[in-house]
Amino acid sequence: MADLLEVVEVRKSYGGVQALKSVSFSLAAGEVVALMGPNGAGKTTLVNVICGHTRPDGGVVRLDGRSLAGMGPARVARLGIARTFQNLCLFDHLTAVENVAVAVGLGAYRVSDAILRRWAFRAGEADILGRAEKVLDAVGFPPEARDLTPPMLPYGLRKRLELARALARNPKVLVLDEPVAGMNREEWPAIAGLIRAVAASGVGVLVIEHHWPFVQQVGQRGVFMAHGSVIAQGCWSEILSPREVVGRGLGRADGVGAPVL
Amino acid sequence: MKGRLGRVLVGILGLVLPLGVFNRYVLYLVSLALVYYMAAAGTDLLVGYTDQLSLAGAAFFGLGAYTVALGSGLLHQSWAEGVLAAAAVGAMGGMVLGLPALRVQHLSLGVSTLAGVVVLNTWFNASPSFLGGSLGGSQGLVVPAPTIGGHPLSSRWLWAGIYGSAAAVWAVERNLIRSQYGRILWALKDSPLALESLGTALAPVKMGVFVFSSALIAVAGAWYGLLSGTIDPTVFDPNLSITLIAMAVIGGSGWEMGPLVGALFVTVLPQVFALMGFGPWANLSYAIAFFLTLRWAPEGLGRRWSRAWQTWRAARIRLGRRDVGGRPLGGG
Ligand SMILES: Nc1ncnc2c1ncn2[C@@H]1O[C@H](COP(=O)(O)OP(=O)(O)OP(=O)(O)O)[C@@H](O)[C@H]1O
Ligand SMILES: [Mg+2]
């Protein structure tokens, strides 16, 4: 079976900084791949290239064998890649359920239906909000907090909300940039379980995360980056022992404290 | 349903009450306030949601006014046709201006749109005719009095027309904002990056807002022409562009009443001060209000209120703020 997402020899420089020096890896449907590496390794840059936010200097990203070259983020998203952001990008003026509703997308009804409050508007609106609520429930978002705006939510719930928003796109590929950063450790197992369930439904998940214990809970395979290059990849047992990962500064033993590098 | 009945009652009251209470001058003043409300509503959509500091407001206002004047003078259009024609001209103008406007941001957009207003002002001043019709140069044009069945409309009927038009603008904006399209606008304001990543291309959204907003402002300009009876190139007043933005900012986005509050504030309050003999205070009060809203409710009075409500709700639910970020969140 051809891989769902293929990243082939992707390069990107910012001025003199080579953020990505020919990075290649692939992701199959139903698989969770953990992308690891110290601060500044180029992980977020890679995510931005995959999602169309950053144009690479060279190389290509393919989804289902189709090149995404030259496509903007909206196009890429419509083809089935959804993402979360390392520093939360929520819609602060919208309530939680409205945040997710935006992701459900346009097309349920037309502008004229909304302005004239036609029947299509009522039906479409009920459908959109109903779907949004379902996704929120699926990520364990408390129903009583649905009509709060993100600034009113504790950090962990904001992270869940952003995850729900990405999931509401029904993506083929889900890219999570540090899904548990800043979250309580008690919440890790729930998020890990959620990610595994998403993958089990056939979605390819790319998880960027420093925290080694968390990564081991979710990922079957790891891609290790440092200084813009992939330095190792494969199943956990094939490549590195946990001690090596931590010792070489590729991941962190736990969620607290300063970065290893 | 109950809410709708209430709105209809308030609407009828708002229409009838001024007719019984106000004299002709005050009726003219509130009519003018509603004209500016329509323009402020259009401005609010653009400046409030897309963060595009367009100063083209006066250009569309003036185009709307000249469209209705030329339409009724040359083509013998009725006032209703004139208003619709103004909307069409405004929308087309929005399309023409929107294309380059999508490419530049903030300050350069402000400067270039302001330049557009000045150019139009100069051109209408200098040009005696256009397509065989007189533009009147600096003298301006007379806008034939609106009629129904050959009878000129009294100032009361003009009030009713403006009121109906403003009510329609209010309903359209309200219904638009309280829909998936309104959520998209808020999303665009809060995080264009995230909105794009959810599959919504930004350019068509911004273009749509630009066109819609321009059409609304042109409709306001058309009513201005009908209300004042004569127009001249000063309808392309760069100050008006700024005043419209002030109205939108004072009331704030995301609240249907926002532009109305802003418009009443800017048009009626100075007159009230003047009547009370505090003429010089008018501008000062305006400046103070502007400062206070920016200081205490930068997102506008409407949002300020809803934020207070949110805080109250959050405190009652007690979600527990145990987890705070463990490390600074850079990158992204
Ligand atoms: N927009 C940009 N302009 C200039 N340099 C950039 C830009 N984005 C990233 N870089 C540089 O590229 C390198 C890789 O950054 P990136 O954010 O991809 O790292 P990361 O692996 O996500 O790190 P972290 O773990 O801190 O999130 C860094 O040296 C960074 O300074
Ligand atoms: Mg990063």
Side-chain angles (χ1 to χ4, degrees):
Chain A
M1 186 186 83
D3 279 323
L4 180 60
L5 181 76
E6 291 169 280
V7 174
V8 186
E9 292 169 12
V10 164
R11 288 179 288 112
K12 178 74 194 175
S13 307
Y14 290 109
V17 183
Q18 281 190 293
L20 298 173
K21 310 168 187 162
S22 191
V23 171
S24 303
F25 75 91
S26 61
L27 174 72
E31 186 185 30
V32 182
V33 167
L35 181 60
M36 304 182 72
N39 290 123
K43 305 181 297 292
T44 297
T45 306
L46 185 60
V47 171
N48 286 337
V49 168
I50 291 172
C51 297
H53 288 284
T54 299
R55 196 154 288 194
D57 299 336
V60 67
V61 178
R62 288 197 203 97
L63 180 70
D64 276 332
R66 177 179 181 179
S67 165
L68 303 181
M71 291 186 189
R75 252 329 262 298
V76 172
R78 283 198 294 262
L79 288 177
I81 301 184
R83 71 172 291 184
T84 62
F85 295 84
Q86 184 172 352
N87 46 356
L88 289 164
C89 286
L90 289 164
F91 307 127
D92 282 351
H93 285 95
L94 296 177
T95 65
V97 69
E98 287 171 337
N99 262 272
V100 182
V102 170
V104 175
L106 293 173
Y109 51 85
R110 287 173 307 199
V111 180
S112 56
D113 295 330
I115 288 176
L116 299 172
R117 285 292 189 255
R118 288 213 189 96
W119 183 82
F121 163 79
R122 283 170 220 284
E125 196 69 351
D127 176 49
I128 289 173
L129 294 175
R131 270 153 74 186
E133 284 174 6
K134 250 193 215 145
V135 183
L136 279 176
D137 289 345
V139 303
F141 194 91
E144 68 270 24
R146 277 180 195 155
D147 57 352
L148 292 181
T149 55
M152 300 296 149
L153 297 171
Y155 194 78
L157 282 189
R158 288 188 224 175
K159 282 293 229 193
R160 278 176 202 254
L161 177 57
E162 209 190 30
L163 181 62
R165 198 178 62 181
L167 281 174
R169 296 286 312 159
N170 274 327
K172 292 179 189 165
V173 171
L174 179 64
V175 184
L176 305 172
D177 200 350
E178 310 210 0
V180 295
M183 250 195 195
N184 246 341
R185 281 200 76 158
E186 298 94 82
E187 294 189 73
W188 288 12
I191 300 294
L194 202 64
I195 292 172
R196 281 195 306 264
V198 169
S201 71
V203 177
V205 186
L206 182 64
V207 181
I208 288 89
E209 192 52 67
H210 287 285
H211 304 314
W212 178 243
F214 177 79
V215 161
Q216 270 191 314
Q217 285 176 39
V218 290
Q220 290 109 1
R221 216 151 57 79
V223 175
F224 295 88
M225 283 182 69
H227 304 296
S229 303
V230 174
I231 55 168
Q233 58 177 313
C235 296
W236 300 135
S237 53
E238 286 170 16
I239 41 172
L240 294 166
S241 70
R243 178 187 300 207
E244 271 179 296
V245 170
V246 175
R248 288 170 59 177
L250 299 172
R252 275 192 268 151
D254 61 272
V256 282
V260 174
L261 269 196
Chain B
M1 273 294 125
K2 213 175 152 195
R4 174 177 287 187
L5 189 66
R7 283 202 298 279
V8 169
L9 284 179
V10 169
I12 293 173
L13 209 65
L15 171 66
V16 177
L17 201 64
L19 290 175
V21 178
F22 295 149
N23 64 28
R24 274 180 71 126
Y25 173 68
V26 180
L27 199 58
Y28 167 80
L29 211 60
V30 276
S31 301
L32 193 62
L34 285 193
V35 166
Y36 284 128
Y37 156 71
M38 289 185 253
T43 309
D44 178 38
L45 274 180
L46 183 63
V47 179
Y49 289 94
T50 65
D51 268 346
Q52 307 216 54
L53 188 63
S54 162
L55 292 175
F60 298 118
F61 194 83
L63 283 178
Y66 269 93
T67 301
V68 84
L70 290 172
S72 42
L74 287 182
L75 309 173
H76 306 290
Q77 284 177 339
S78 73
W79 56 273
E81 287 164 338
V83 171
L84 288 179
V89 168
M92 281 188 285
M95 255 177 249
V96 171
L97 196 71
L99 282 175
L102 287 173
R103 303 190 166 271
V104 293
Q105 280 293 314
H106 307 299
L107 201 59
S108 36
L109 177 60
V111 171
S112 47
T113 46
L114 198 60
V117 175
V118 175
V119 165
L120 280 172
N121 188 324
T122 315
W123 189 74
F124 274 88
N125 252 315
S127 306
S129 68
F130 176 64
L131 294 179
S134 170
L135 287 180
S138 60
Q139 296 294 306
L141 291 172
V142 171
V143 185
T147 57
I148 275 188
H151 301 288
L153 293 182
S154 69
S155 60
R156 303 182 152 212
W157 281 107
L158 202 55
W159 156 255
I162 289 174
Y163 187 89
S165 187
V169 167
W170 180 84
V172 165
E173 192 178 351
R174 176 178 187 277
N175 290 352
L176 186 73
I177 293 303
R178 297 186 185 188
S179 78
Q180 179 73 0
Y181 297 91
R183 290 193 283 267
I184 299 274
L185 288 185
W186 277 111
L188 179 66
K189 183 186 174 97
D190 284 339
S191 176
L193 188 69
L195 180 60
E196 260 185 315
S197 83
L198 297 175
T200 305
L202 305 186
V205 176
K206 287 186 181 179
M207 189 66 184
V209 175
F210 217 106
V211 168
F212 197 59
S213 141
S214 313
L216 282 186
I217 298 174
V219 164
W223 281 113
Y224 177 84
L226 291 168
L227 183 65
S228 33
T230 56
I231 54 163
D232 60 48
T234 55
V235 286
F236 298 100
D237 176 7
N239 276 326
L240 176 63
S241 291
I242 294 163
T243 308
L244 289 178
I245 288 176
M247 293 178 191
V249 169
I250 288 178
S253 308
W255 185 37
E256 306 88 52
M257 289 297 172
L260 183 60
V261 170
L264 285 173
F265 199 95
V266 174
T267 49
V268 176
L269 204 66
Q271 302 288 337
V272 173
F273 273 98
L275 280 179
M276 287 168 23
F278 300 140
W281 289 94
N283 281 331
L284 191 64
S285 72
Y286 174 53
I288 290 174
F290 199 67
F291 172 80
L292 285 180
T293 27
L294 285 181
R295 175 70 187 76
W296 295 110
E299 67 272 73
L301 298 174
R303 277 285 145 176
R304 169 84 206 173
W305 168 242
S306 92
R307 193 150 50 93
W309 185 82
Q310 283 268 332
T311 314
W312 182 78
R313 281 259 312 156
R316 301 236 321 175
I317 295 177
R318 270 199 292 279
L319 292 163
R321 285 171 185 274
R322 314 166 265 133
D323 43 357
V324 192
R327 70 186 191 89
L329 298 154

